[in-house]
Amino acid sequence: MLHSDVSRHALCLLAAFSASTLVAGCADDEALPPHEGEPACTGWGDEAPADGVLELPRPTGPHPVGTQIRALTDSARGEEATEDPDDRRELMVQLFYPADPCGTGQLAPYLSPEEGDSRRTTGGLPAEDGFEARILTHARMGVPVAEDGAPHPVLLFSHGFGMLRADYTSLLEDLASHGFVVAAISHTYDSELTVFPDGRAVPFGSVVLTPAMDAPPEEIEAFTQAMGEHVAVWADDALFVLDELTAAAQDDPGGLLTGRLDLDRLGVLGHSYGGAMAAEVCARDDRFDAGLDIDGRLFGPQDGAGGRGLAQPFFIMLAADHPDDPSIDETYNALNGQGYRARVEDAAHLTFSDLPIVVEHFLGEGVLPELLGTLDPARAVEITNAYTRAFVQAHVRGEAAPLLDGPSPEYPEVTFEKRP
């Protein structure tokens, strides 16, 4: 979410996608060159992507990446976004994990066909079908979890309000390549689209009504209050997913996660409203070792943990245009654990997602700078991934992370501070 301006994000960004002219090509089975030093049995080929195919930035870690998508139902909670009192809260969760280097499997699609349709049609303009198949990921579906390094530390991730979990694939794949199991949650009705295995495609239909751009102050205030209350739903989603992972670590029906998860090393992170979720679950549950908010106002019952003094190490990464934000300042200044705050020059709210790379590839440079920023998209991914990775390596895995010692000459775009 672009701070409180959901409507502008949805209309401007999705209209841009649907107005695109795309280059034909097929990415589903394109082979990739191997990572340096990667065992030959990973199955990576030697061919470059076909013309017109966008290859997402490659993961930088030593592990190949696997992925699996799961549908979960919380039978203990109703669904407040529907009128049927018998409806239960349903979620989709995508796992990204370090994979067995000898595992084989198809590369995962970046978007489902339904998600691609949503990106084309929400703006109301026709576009060529199939652009989503011309975005190349690096995660293979259903391959075994790596034995090397197991059990692996675990991260929960939440997307921005009205966005897709797929919008952060580059970050999630990179974390998995460095030995983390990441569970990326699609928060049904608060995501652009949630696609279930039975074919249901649930569009955005949040119970929180987004005000118009010219709404009076009292409507904006009511929206802010509603968002503060609604973050509890996302926190409940995350805690339910954590409980499901805890059970799967002991006895996963398909065997994928059994014995492979180290839930004594656990972190939570998110972009935008997902960052508010991260602060909220850290305040509510001491199972989490660390939390990270990527450019999100910290909505919450008490202004996103402001004044509650989070015990865990917490990192706040901000775009250059993030406005004066009492929720950020209050939370940062009240931290009882190690705190970090970074501001990235030339970054806008969506800089921290894959969208700048995808938009530049299909539409050209300089599109929607107020949403996507003017930082080079590949550089934006490098910075986002480097600081996120350093934080979780230090405070979830317990390894040294020199990047967190202070401002880095390697990343002059980043204004960095730490406390205490």
Side-chain angles (χ1 to χ4, degrees), residues 43 56 67 74 76-77 124 134 142 160 172 179 215 222 231-232 234 247 256 267 284 292 329 346-347 362 391 396:
L56 294 177
T67 189
D74 186 350
R77 284 195 295 153
R134 296 189 289 281
L172 304 177
V231 76
W234 285 39
L256 182 74
R284 286 172 52 175
L292 190 152
D329 295 336
D346 296 327
F362 290 115
F391 178 71
V396 177

Side-chain angles (χ1 to χ4, degrees), residues 130-403:
F131 85 90
E132 69 276 2
R134 296 189 289 281
I135 303 174
L136 198 62
T137 71
H138 305 95
R140 296 190 180 270
M141 296 184 291
V143 297
V145 179
E147 183 176 353
D148 181 27
H152 303 284
V154 176
L155 305 172
L156 303 189
F157 177 85
S158 285
H159 56 76
F161 193 75
M163 297 182 70
L164 298 170
R165 68 174 187 272
D167 291 327
Y168 309 92
T169 299
S170 296
L171 172 62
L172 304 177
E173 288 184 341
D174 191 69
L175 290 168
S177 79
H178 285 271
F180 293 90
V181 175
V182 188
I185 305 167
S186 288
H187 296 275
T188 313
Y189 296 101
D190 293 324
S191 175
E192 178 185 324
L193 192 74
T194 307
V195 182
F196 288 94
D198 62 6
R200 286 175 297 142
V202 179
F204 180 86
S206 180
V207 297
V208 180
L209 300 179
T210 306
M213 293 177 63
D214 58 353
E218 57 269 22
E219 288 189 22
I220 300 296
E221 183 178 352
F223 168 75
T224 301
Q225 181 176 348
M227 291 290 276
E229 295 170 355
H230 189 62
V231 76
V233 174
W234 285 39
D236 288 341
D237 289 345
L239 296 177
F240 166 66
V241 170
L242 175 55
D243 289 342
E244 292 290 297
L245 292 175
T246 301
Q250 297 300 316
D251 184 15
D252 193 11
L256 182 74
L257 300 180
T258 303
R260 292 291 189 256
L261 303 183
D262 183 355
L263 290 162
D264 290 328
R265 296 185 293 171
L266 177 66
V268 58
L269 64 154
H271 174 237
S272 192
Y273 201 57
M277 181 282 295
E280 184 67 16
V281 298
C282 283
R284 286 172 52 175
D285 198 318
D286 61 8
R287 285 180 292 177
F288 292 93
D289 297 306
L292 190 152
D293 166 30
I294 304 175
D295 204 44
R297 175 173 178 171
L298 295 177
F299 292 101
Q302 299 181 31
D303 293 325
R308 286 187 284 180
L310 298 182
Q312 300 94 332
F314 202 78
F315 193 127
I316 301 170
M317 191 184 311
L318 300 173
D321 67 350
H322 192 102
D324 291 340
D325 189 339
S327 76
I328 295 293
D329 295 336
E330 291 169 6
T331 299
Y332 184 71
N333 292 329
L335 291 174
N336 291 321
Q338 178 68 61
Y340 306 92
R341 180 161 53 181
R343 190 176 291 268
V344 183
E345 183 180 354
D346 296 327
H349 191 55
L350 300 181
T351 295
F352 304 103
S353 69
D354 292 336
L355 290 171
I357 288 177
V358 174
V359 170
E360 181 178 87
H361 178 83
F362 290 115
L363 301 181
E365 298 180 3
V367 176
L368 298 175
E370 70 277 14
L371 292 171
L372 304 176
T374 57
L375 185 63
D376 175 75
R379 181 65 169 172
V381 169
E382 180 183 356
I383 290 171
T384 302
N385 291 4
Y387 278 91
T388 301
R389 185 172 64 246
F391 178 71
V392 297
Q393 284 177 330
H395 294 292
V396 177
R397 182 178 280 146
E399 297 177 345
L403 186 59

